[in-house]
Each structure stands twice: as structure tokens, then as C-alpha cells.
Amino acid sequence: MLEFGMPTLIENRTLEDNIALCKELGLSFIELNMNFPEYQIDKIEDVEWFYKKADEAGVYYTIHLDENLNVADFNPLVRDAYLETVRRTIEVAKHFVELKNRYGKKEQPLTINMHMHHGIYITLPDKKVQMYERDFDVYMDYFLRFKKSCEEWIGDADIHIAIENTNGFREYEKKAIESMLESACFALTWDIGHSKGTGEIDVPFILDNKSKLSHFHIHDGREIPPKNHLALGDGEIDLIDRLNVAKACNARCVLETKTIKALKKSVEWIKNDGN
């Protein structure tokens, strides 16, 4: 059976509010979003408190890294800060593995979700030049270092970092991702709403790497005009098809709507139509 969780929602000002909603809806886990001030690394490092709150409710956590995370930033001070954030997040996640084993699927590693940062581009009269494309060798070197560091930091812990599609992987990003997926420490997240909103341009790449799919962000969406994070049933996505792929991959699924109302509607859709 598929295991469903929820994102941290902006309407919920506290962890307790999110946990109460997770419990009420019969969901298994909460994806802690490090874009929120209350889930910054210095906050979630209070692992005993976070662990206790989840354990009392019978739920567990996955973690979503800051969307601004850029481990290939050309500025070494900025790059090192992001790398240190990942290192410390992995240490936090190690404490949450036991929660995952107690209340979730033991056979699926605990997920730390990350985005690929496109980097900056320079606008010329006739085109835009992506700096990471121009300086690809430097970019790739930073990602090879990142991969090696993550392998050292994770060690034999039951954790992996899942790379999420957003608004279309760039070609230089695909090459970096392919290198990372060679490691057992990395996997893929398929965000089906982002995928729909970009005309499914990432689907061939994702399906070519289907064996590495372990995490899904499930929400409905539309292609024209692009729209996502809709409640399930409110868009144009073939949700049953996507859920069947998730089942085949034994993946966990975040019902990644942005409001409590849409989350509740999505849970009802899963109960009534998702089977």
C-alpha cells in the first residue's frame, strides 16, 4: 500500500498544529519544510523535542531542504554554508530514522528532498546564457564533491537525498543528477504537479531513471495556463496512472497542497477514488 504524508502548511503556525492535522487525517508523516523559519536547521536540531512530538502522535518526518540551496554556488562562502546545512540536516535525519521504522515503511530510506538550483543567467541581445552551462566543468566538479561528501556524511544510515523536478531540468542539471544517481545515497522525487505545469518535459528523464524513484509530491495541476498544488481531482492529471507508478516504485507520497482545505479534499479523493 502507498504511504501518504503532508507538507508543513503555512496556515499551521506550530509543529503541534501540523501534527494534529496529520493525525486527524490519518496520514503517516509530515515533510518538514526548511523554507519556514520554524524549521531552520538550528530549530530542527532540537531532535529530542521533535522526536517526542511525533512519537506521541504515531507519525514520522521527512525533510525538504531550503529551495534556495545551491551547492554549486560560485561564491565559496555561500557554497560552504549550504554544504554545512546539508551535513547538519543529515545528522538530524539520522535521529528520525527510528521514527520512520516505527511508523512507516522500514524498507524505504528516510527522504531528504532537494531542488536543483538553476544558477544565474546573463541576458544578451539575442539569448540568455546560463552560467552553469558556460562553466559546466566547474559546476560538475562541485557536484562530484557534493556527492562524495554526502556519501561520507550519510555513511550506512538509512537515508537518501531525493532530487525533485521543478520547472524543467536543464541539460547540465541532468548530467549532474545522473552522476549523483550512481550513488545509493541519492534518489528521485517526482513532483507530478510541477511536471504537468511544464508540459511533462521532465517525464522521459524521470522514467529513464524509474529505478531511482522513491518519493512523490502528489497534487493536481493544469498545463494551460500552468497551475499546480491543486486539490486532487481539481486538475487534469491522470492521478491513477501516477499513483500506479508510485506503487510500482514502493514510493512514499506527500499530498503537497498548500491549504488545509485542499489537503482534506485530497485525502477524501484518495479514500474514494484513489484505489
Side-chain angles (χ1 to χ4, degrees), residues 137-208:
D137 289 345
V138 174
Y139 173 82
M140 195 67 189
D141 181 60
Y142 290 149
F143 266 99
L144 291 173
R145 295 186 197 182
F146 175 64
K147 178 172 74 169
K148 182 178 179 181
S149 294
C150 288
E151 289 172 336
E152 293 174 358
W153 297 333
I154 292 173
D156 60 358
D158 193 22
I159 295 166
H160 61 201
I161 297 173
I163 303 160
E164 177 189 350
N165 60 295
T166 53
N167 61 345
F169 289 131
R170 310 307 193 248
E171 289 304 312
Y172 53 86
E173 291 174 336
K174 291 179 185 179
K175 292 173 184 176
I177 294 168
E178 286 171 344
S179 173
M180 287 188 285
L181 293 181
E182 293 171 359
S183 169
C185 293
F186 289 89
L188 280 178
T189 295
W190 188 354
D191 186 304
I192 66 170
H194 290 163
S195 182
K196 184 66 173 176
T198 54
E200 309 287 17
I201 58 174
D202 287 322
V203 172
F205 179 79
I206 290 169
L207 293 182
D208 282 347

XYZ file of all heavy atoms in Angstrom, residues 137-208:
585
model
N 32.256 22.543 -16.421
C 33.271 21.735 -15.736
C 33.377 22.123 -14.261
O 33.518 21.247 -13.387
C 34.635 21.892 -16.414
C 34.679 21.218 -17.770
O 33.785 20.393 -18.063
O 35.607 21.518 -18.552
N 33.307 23.406 -13.984
C 33.345 23.868 -12.591
C 32.094 23.394 -11.858
O 32.162 22.880 -10.736
C 33.445 25.411 -12.536
C 33.348 25.912 -11.101
C 34.742 25.876 -13.186
N 30.953 23.578 -12.496
C 29.662 23.148 -11.930
C 29.691 21.655 -11.597
O 29.316 21.230 -10.490
C 28.569 23.464 -12.941
C 27.189 22.952 -12.626
C 26.356 23.648 -11.753
C 26.695 21.799 -13.235
C 25.059 23.198 -11.491
C 25.414 21.342 -12.984
C 24.605 22.052 -12.097
O 23.329 21.602 -11.846
N 30.141 20.862 -12.543
C 30.152 19.414 -12.344
C 31.120 19.013 -11.240
O 30.838 18.102 -10.446
C 30.525 18.723 -13.657
C 30.220 17.245 -13.674
S 28.443 16.940 -13.616
C 28.460 15.160 -13.372
N 32.235 19.687 -11.158
C 33.198 19.394 -10.099
C 32.590 19.623 -8.726
O 32.803 18.818 -7.808
C 34.441 20.263 -10.279
C 35.496 19.979 -9.217
O 35.968 18.828 -9.129
O 35.835 20.912 -8.454
N 31.827 20.701 -8.579
C 31.177 20.971 -7.301
C 30.184 19.865 -6.950
O 30.074 19.469 -5.782
C 30.465 22.326 -7.336
C 31.389 23.520 -7.364
C 31.000 24.695 -8.014
C 32.638 23.491 -6.760
C 31.840 25.809 -8.048
C 33.484 24.590 -6.791
C 33.077 25.744 -7.436
O 33.915 26.840 -7.465
N 29.472 19.349 -7.945
C 28.504 18.294 -7.653
C 29.171 16.958 -7.360
O 28.672 16.171 -6.545
C 27.471 18.168 -8.776
C 26.237 18.975 -8.513
C 26.077 20.222 -9.097
C 25.265 18.528 -7.639
C 24.957 20.994 -8.826
C 24.147 19.287 -7.357
C 23.987 20.523 -7.951
N 30.285 16.700 -7.981
C 31.019 15.478 -7.651
C 31.524 15.541 -6.216
O 31.493 14.532 -5.486
C 32.179 15.284 -8.626
C 31.782 14.952 -10.068
C 33.010 14.943 -10.975
C 31.061 13.603 -10.136
N 31.977 16.717 -5.808
C 32.390 16.890 -4.413
C 31.209 16.733 -3.467
O 31.322 16.144 -2.390
C 33.027 18.275 -4.221
C 34.325 18.496 -4.965
C 34.913 19.844 -4.582
N 35.919 20.318 -5.512
C 36.593 21.448 -5.361
N 36.346 22.222 -4.310
N 37.503 21.828 -6.256
N 30.065 17.292 -3.877
C 28.853 17.187 -3.064
C 28.461 15.725 -2.893
O 28.128 15.279 -1.781
C 27.725 17.977 -3.735
C 26.383 17.855 -3.072
C 26.181 18.331 -1.785
C 25.306 17.285 -3.753
C 24.928 18.231 -1.175
C 24.065 17.184 -3.159
C 23.874 17.656 -1.864
N 28.484 14.974 -3.977
C 28.132 13.560 -3.902
C 29.051 12.819 -2.931
O 28.579 12.059 -2.060
C 28.206 12.917 -5.290
C 27.888 11.425 -5.283
C 27.784 10.846 -6.682
C 29.128 10.696 -7.348
N 29.035 9.899 -8.608
N 30.341 13.035 -3.058
C 31.304 12.359 -2.187
C 31.090 12.749 -0.728
O 31.119 11.893 0.172
C 32.727 12.707 -2.623
C 33.809 12.011 -1.800
C 35.205 12.347 -2.296
C 36.271 11.656 -1.455
N 37.644 12.008 -1.914
N 30.831 14.032 -0.484
C 30.608 14.485 0.894
C 29.358 13.841 1.477
O 29.362 13.389 2.630
C 30.475 16.006 0.932
O 31.689 16.632 0.583
N 28.283 13.785 0.696
C 27.036 13.190 1.187
C 27.218 11.714 1.496
O 26.664 11.200 2.480
C 25.914 13.390 0.180
S 25.322 15.093 0.090
N 27.989 11.025 0.672
C 28.255 9.615 0.942
C 28.985 9.452 2.273
O 28.692 8.530 3.044
C 29.073 9.016 -0.200
C 28.286 8.850 -1.492
C 29.138 8.432 -2.662
O 30.361 8.696 -2.640
O 28.587 7.848 -3.614
N 29.917 10.349 2.568
C 30.640 10.297 3.838
C 29.724 10.656 5.004
O 29.754 9.997 6.051
C 31.834 11.253 3.792
C 32.915 10.839 2.809
C 34.008 11.877 2.668
O 33.909 12.949 3.320
O 34.972 11.630 1.907
N 28.897 11.691 4.830
C 28.021 12.138 5.905
C 26.920 11.133 6.213
O 26.589 10.906 7.372
C 27.396 13.491 5.544
C 28.375 14.605 5.393
C 29.594 14.723 5.999
C 28.239 15.767 4.555
N 30.224 15.877 5.601
C 29.419 16.538 4.716
C 27.245 16.235 3.699
C 29.610 17.752 4.064
C 27.434 17.428 3.040
C 28.597 18.182 3.216
N 26.364 10.512 5.177
C 25.289 9.541 5.384
C 25.842 8.216 5.882
O 25.257 7.582 6.761
C 24.478 9.345 4.082
C 23.698 10.629 3.765
C 23.523 8.158 4.198
C 22.987 10.623 2.420
N 26.971 7.798 5.343
C 27.561 6.532 5.759
C 26.593 5.386 5.532
O 26.027 5.239 4.443
N 26.370 4.584 6.588
C 25.438 3.454 6.461
C 24.056 3.777 7.011
O 23.233 2.876 7.205
C 26.011 2.209 7.153
C 26.250 2.427 8.642
O 26.009 3.553 9.146
O 26.680 1.475 9.324
N 23.773 5.052 7.267
C 22.456 5.442 7.758
C 21.396 5.207 6.677
O 21.667 5.327 5.480
C 22.453 6.907 8.188
N 20.190 4.894 7.107
C 19.093 4.570 6.181
C 18.424 5.864 5.706
O 17.263 6.146 6.013
C 18.087 3.666 6.895
C 17.092 3.027 5.945
O 17.409 2.931 4.744
O 16.010 2.637 6.407
N 19.192 6.626 4.932
C 18.775 7.959 4.469
C 19.191 8.104 3.015
O 20.257 7.620 2.614
C 19.474 9.067 5.297
C 19.030 9.021 6.760
C 19.209 10.458 4.707
C 19.936 9.852 7.668
N 18.370 8.778 2.229
C 18.849 9.217 0.922
C 18.300 10.607 0.607
O 17.336 11.069 1.204
C 18.539 8.210 -0.190
C 17.091 7.927 -0.433
N 16.643 6.795 -1.061
C 15.977 8.638 -0.139
C 15.335 6.817 -1.146
N 14.902 7.934 -0.591
N 18.982 11.265 -0.311
C 18.601 12.596 -0.760
C 17.911 12.440 -2.106
O 18.492 11.912 -3.058
C 19.829 13.509 -0.883
C 20.487 13.686 0.496
C 19.438 14.867 -1.470
C 21.814 14.427 0.460
N 16.648 12.864 -2.175
C 15.847 12.695 -3.391
C 15.737 14.028 -4.116
O 15.337 15.032 -3.527
C 14.463 12.158 -3.047
N 16.101 14.036 -5.383
C 16.157 15.253 -6.194
C 14.827 15.443 -6.918
O 14.380 14.567 -7.651
C 17.311 15.166 -7.204
C 18.642 14.923 -6.470
C 17.387 16.427 -8.052
C 19.731 14.368 -7.350
N 14.218 16.602 -6.700
C 12.877 16.876 -7.212
C 12.903 17.694 -8.499
O 13.673 18.646 -8.628
C 12.089 17.640 -6.133
C 10.692 18.060 -6.553
C 10.036 18.995 -5.556
O 10.579 19.173 -4.446
O 8.985 19.571 -5.893
N 12.012 17.339 -9.427
C 11.802 18.175 -10.615
C 10.975 19.402 -10.226
O 10.090 19.332 -9.366
C 11.073 17.396 -11.698
C 9.701 16.906 -11.253
O 9.585 16.079 -10.343
N 8.645 17.404 -11.888
N 11.271 20.544 -10.848
C 10.508 21.763 -10.553
C 9.943 22.333 -11.855
O 8.857 21.948 -12.270
C 11.364 22.802 -9.809
O 12.577 23.047 -10.550
C 11.721 22.306 -8.406
N 10.680 23.209 -12.509
C 10.164 23.819 -13.744
C 10.981 23.413 -14.965
O 11.168 24.176 -15.896
C 10.126 25.349 -13.612
C 11.499 25.946 -13.384
O 12.444 25.235 -13.056
N 11.615 27.248 -13.553
N 11.452 22.185 -14.949
C 12.197 21.657 -16.088
C 13.682 21.563 -15.806
O 14.335 22.581 -15.607
N 14.209 20.340 -15.787
C 15.649 20.161 -15.587
C 16.413 20.718 -16.779
O 16.076 20.463 -17.936
C 15.998 18.677 -15.437
C 15.546 18.050 -14.154
C 14.851 16.846 -14.155
C 15.830 18.634 -12.933
C 14.452 16.241 -12.981
C 15.438 18.044 -11.748
C 14.742 16.844 -11.776
N 17.462 21.486 -16.512
C 18.364 21.927 -17.566
C 19.276 20.759 -17.952
O 19.482 19.821 -17.181
C 19.199 23.124 -17.101
C 18.422 24.277 -16.473
C 17.291 24.784 -17.335
N 16.772 26.050 -16.853
C 15.563 26.230 -16.333
N 14.746 25.202 -16.203
N 15.163 27.435 -15.948
N 19.847 20.828 -19.147
C 20.698 19.730 -19.601
C 21.903 19.537 -18.686
O 22.306 18.398 -18.411
C 21.148 19.967 -21.041
C 20.028 19.810 -22.067
C 19.343 18.459 -22.002
O 20.059 17.443 -21.958
O 18.103 18.423 -22.007
N 22.493 20.627 -18.202
C 23.644 20.487 -17.309
C 23.214 19.867 -15.979
O 23.982 19.129 -15.354
C 24.351 21.831 -17.083
C 23.475 22.982 -16.629
C 23.196 23.177 -15.283
C 22.950 23.895 -17.543
C 22.400 24.238 -14.856
C 22.151 24.957 -17.136
C 21.881 25.120 -15.786
O 21.100 26.173 -15.362
N 21.970 20.136 -15.562
C 21.474 19.530 -14.327
C 21.273 18.029 -14.497
O 21.585 17.247 -13.586
C 20.158 20.197 -13.915
C 20.326 21.633 -13.467
C 19.009 22.333 -13.211
O 17.969 21.917 -13.777
O 19.016 23.315 -12.447
N 20.772 17.617 -15.643
C 20.571 16.185 -15.884
C 21.883 15.415 -15.757
O 21.925 14.311 -15.207
C 19.958 15.958 -17.267
C 18.522 16.431 -17.407
C 18.026 16.188 -18.827
C 16.637 16.751 -19.046
N 16.168 16.544 -20.442
N 22.957 16.014 -16.267
C 24.257 15.337 -16.185
C 24.719 15.223 -14.740
O 25.258 14.186 -14.328
C 25.281 16.088 -17.034
C 24.987 16.009 -18.532
C 25.918 16.892 -19.343
C 25.544 16.868 -20.826
N 26.379 17.791 -21.627
N 24.496 16.264 -13.951
C 24.861 16.210 -12.536
C 23.994 15.198 -11.790
O 24.491 14.431 -10.956
C 24.723 17.598 -11.907
N 22.703 15.187 -12.103
C 21.786 14.250 -11.441
C 22.160 12.813 -11.785
O 22.177 11.937 -10.905
C 20.328 14.544 -11.853
C 19.896 15.908 -11.315
C 19.395 13.457 -11.317
C 18.593 16.415 -11.911
N 22.453 12.542 -13.061
C 22.829 11.186 -13.457
C 24.043 10.712 -12.684
O 24.115 9.541 -12.271
C 23.098 11.142 -14.959
C 21.830 11.216 -15.805
C 22.107 11.400 -17.285
O 23.248 11.771 -17.632
O 21.186 11.166 -18.083
N 24.980 11.609 -12.457
C 26.162 11.243 -11.671
C 25.782 10.932 -10.226
O 26.247 9.930 -9.657
C 27.183 12.385 -11.709
O 28.260 12.113 -10.834
N 24.912 11.763 -9.641
C 24.515 11.528 -8.253
C 23.717 10.238 -8.106
O 23.860 9.521 -7.111
C 23.727 12.722 -7.729
C 24.602 13.945 -7.472
S 23.727 15.289 -6.636
C 22.740 15.928 -7.994
N 22.899 9.919 -9.111
C 22.073 8.717 -9.019
C 22.885 7.431 -9.107
O 22.367 6.346 -8.828
C 20.996 8.729 -10.112
C 19.909 9.804 -9.975
C 18.906 9.687 -11.118
C 19.207 9.726 -8.633
N 24.135 7.549 -9.469
C 25.021 6.382 -9.430
C 25.298 5.951 -7.997
O 25.748 4.830 -7.747
C 26.337 6.686 -10.146
C 26.179 6.902 -11.649
C 27.458 7.403 -12.293
O 28.454 7.603 -11.558
O 27.474 7.591 -13.525
N 25.024 6.852 -7.059
C 25.265 6.587 -5.639
C 23.981 6.126 -4.971
O 22.887 6.630 -5.256
C 25.772 7.854 -4.953
O 25.769 7.702 -3.544
N 24.108 5.185 -4.036
C 22.948 4.717 -3.270
C 22.399 5.790 -2.347
O 21.293 5.647 -1.818
C 23.335 3.483 -2.453
N 23.137 6.857 -2.156
C 22.701 7.931 -1.267
C 21.731 8.894 -1.933
O 21.211 9.804 -1.262
C 23.917 8.722 -0.760
S 24.997 7.766 0.316
N 21.486 8.733 -3.231
C 20.627 9.665 -3.954
C 19.491 8.926 -4.657
O 19.625 7.770 -5.058
C 21.430 10.473 -4.970
C 22.336 11.483 -4.336
C 23.642 11.141 -3.976
C 21.891 12.768 -4.072
C 24.480 12.061 -3.373
C 22.726 13.700 -3.469
C 24.015 13.346 -3.125
N 18.363 9.630 -4.795
C 17.178 9.096 -5.451
C 16.467 10.244 -6.161
O 16.984 11.365 -6.216
C 16.261 8.427 -4.425
N 15.288 9.965 -6.702
C 14.496 10.980 -7.390
C 13.148 11.175 -6.706
O 12.546 10.220 -6.211
C 14.233 10.578 -8.841
C 15.325 10.808 -9.878
C 14.849 10.289 -11.237
C 15.705 12.276 -9.983
N 12.702 12.428 -6.705
C 11.330 12.780 -6.349
C 10.611 13.197 -7.625
O 11.122 14.020 -8.379
C 11.295 13.954 -5.347
O 11.897 13.560 -4.110
C 9.863 14.412 -5.088
N 9.424 12.644 -7.833
C 8.600 13.080 -8.958
C 7.485 13.960 -8.416
O 6.585 13.481 -7.727
C 8.017 11.886 -9.710
C 7.316 12.252 -10.994
C 7.052 13.509 -11.469
C 6.799 11.342 -11.980
N 6.411 13.463 -12.684
C 6.236 12.140 -13.020
C 6.749 9.966 -12.077
C 5.636 11.570 -14.140
C 6.148 9.400 -13.194
C 5.604 10.189 -14.215
N 7.582 15.257 -8.709
C 6.503 16.177 -8.386
C 5.583 16.217 -9.599
O 5.910 16.826 -10.619
C 7.044 17.572 -8.052
C 5.966 18.515 -7.566
O 4.975 18.701 -8.301
O 6.104 19.069 -6.458
N 4.424 15.573 -9.471
C 3.574 15.390 -10.650
C 2.857 16.677 -11.047
O 2.479 16.844 -12.208
C 2.568 14.246 -10.450
C 1.540 14.579 -9.359
C 3.294 12.939 -10.139
C 0.381 13.591 -9.297
N 2.683 17.598 -10.103
C 2.069 18.885 -10.427
C 3.025 19.783 -11.178
O 2.671 20.385 -12.195
N 4.275 19.877 -10.684
C 5.286 20.637 -11.411
C 5.466 20.061 -12.811
O 5.633 20.799 -13.786
C 6.624 20.573 -10.677
C 6.651 21.333 -9.391
N 7.622 21.135 -8.431
C 5.838 22.296 -8.892
C 7.406 21.939 -7.413
N 6.321 22.653 -7.664
N 5.442 18.740 -12.885
C 5.614 18.065 -14.168
C 4.518 18.474 -15.152
O 4.793 18.791 -16.317
C 5.599 16.550 -13.923
O 5.813 15.838 -15.102
N 3.279 18.497 -14.666
C 2.154 18.878 -15.539
C 2.261 20.331 -15.971
O 2.020 20.673 -17.138
C 0.839 18.659 -14.793
C -0.409 18.932 -15.634
C -0.532 17.936 -16.773
C -1.842 18.087 -17.505
N -1.927 17.173 -18.675
N 2.643 21.203 -15.041
C 2.717 22.634 -15.326
C 3.791 23.004 -16.328
O 3.766 24.108 -16.889
N 4.740 22.096 -16.566
C 5.804 22.361 -17.537
C 5.660 21.489 -18.786
O 6.629 21.243 -19.506
C 7.192 22.126 -16.903
O 7.246 20.810 -16.327
C 7.486 23.149 -15.833
N 4.432 21.012 -19.035
C 4.198 20.230 -20.247
C 4.837 18.867 -20.233
O 5.108 18.286 -21.295
N 5.088 18.336 -19.030
C 5.653 16.990 -18.840
C 7.031 16.826 -19.488
O 7.420 15.714 -19.859
C 4.696 15.909 -19.382
C 3.263 16.016 -18.884
C 3.069 15.600 -17.425
O 4.066 15.536 -16.688
O 1.920 15.355 -17.023
N 7.786 17.923 -19.571
C 9.081 17.827 -20.263
C 10.098 16.981 -19.502
O 11.056 16.472 -20.105
C 9.677 19.229 -20.544
C 9.869 20.028 -19.245
C 8.815 19.991 -21.527
C 10.583 21.351 -19.464
N 9.899 16.801 -18.185
C 10.837 16.001 -17.406
C 10.484 14.516 -17.366
O 11.266 13.712 -16.852
C 10.915 16.520 -15.962
C 11.665 17.830 -15.851
O 12.667 18.007 -16.578
O 11.261 18.690 -15.043
N 9.312 14.160 -17.885
C 8.850 12.778 -17.753
C 9.802 11.767 -18.399
O 10.115 10.738 -17.784
C 7.417 12.621 -18.296
C 7.007 11.149 -18.352
C 6.447 13.392 -17.409
N 10.299 11.987 -19.625
C 11.234 10.998 -20.190
C 12.460 10.765 -19.307
O 12.870 9.612 -19.103
C 11.620 11.617 -21.543
C 10.451 12.474 -21.906
C 9.982 13.049 -20.603
N 13.033 11.845 -18.788
C 14.208 11.697 -17.924
C 13.853 10.947 -16.646
O 14.596 10.060 -16.200
C 14.779 13.077 -17.580
C 15.984 13.038 -16.681
C 17.238 12.743 -17.184
C 15.857 13.298 -15.317
C 18.357 12.700 -16.352
C 16.966 13.263 -14.475
C 18.221 12.964 -15.004
N 12.716 11.288 -16.047
C 12.293 10.626 -14.808
C 12.062 9.140 -15.045
O 12.539 8.292 -14.278
C 11.022 11.303 -14.246
C 11.360 12.703 -13.719
C 10.397 10.461 -13.140
C 10.147 13.546 -13.387
N 11.354 8.800 -16.116
C 11.049 7.397 -16.372
C 12.285 6.614 -16.796
O 12.370 5.407 -16.543
C 9.940 7.281 -17.415
C 8.568 7.800 -16.966
C 7.531 7.601 -18.066
C 8.114 7.114 -15.678
N 13.237 7.279 -17.426
C 14.506 6.619 -17.749
C 15.261 6.226 -16.480
O 16.119 5.337 -16.513
C 15.390 7.535 -18.596
C 14.974 7.576 -20.061
O 14.157 6.719 -20.471
O 15.443 8.475 -20.786
